[in-house]
Amino acid sequence: MNDYRLREELEKLRFLRRAQLQQLKRVDGWIAAAQKRLRDAEAATPPAPPASPVREWVAYTPLNARQPVEIHRAHCFVKFAKQQTRAITTAEAVQLLGMGAVACEGCRPDPGVSVG
């Protein structure tokens, strides 16, 4: 009698294993399909354009000058005609300050560009 119960329990466990293996195969199929959709979506998405340099500085060039004479922070309160200013990067600001351009007295960009 005891053998009968053990055999019956063993059969139940084997049945449970087969059912779980079938379920795992189904889940594996779902995973494979999701991975394929993700690969397809990534392949269809164009790569992001390279980030443009941050232009947090403004160079002011008077109409009669060839080189910028003043460097300002982009949010500086000193306003000039747009045709006399251009946005520049930090590296350009450092270079222009080194070439003799003057830092604005109002916004003081030279500490921000690490010019000593």
Side-chain angles (χ1 to χ4, degrees), residues 65-107:
R66 290 182 163 211
Q67 290 290 330
V69 296
E70 289 183 14
I71 306 299
H72 299 266
R73 293 185 186 271
H75 64 274
C76 181
F77 59 88
V78 177
K79 299 296 180 198
F80 300 101
K82 288 221 185 263
Q83 66 268 22
Q84 293 176 273
T85 61
R86 68 181 172 94
I88 58 174
T89 63
T90 301
E92 291 171 311
V94 169
Q95 182 182 9
L96 290 171
L97 287 169
M99 292 171 48
V102 178
C104 171
E105 290 294 323
C107 65

Side-chain angles (χ1 to χ4, degrees), residues 36-55:
K36 182 181 183 319
R37 286 192 307 272
L38 181 61
R39 281 192 308 270
D40 293 346
E42 287 173 347
T45 304
S52 60
V54 176
R55 301 198 181 273

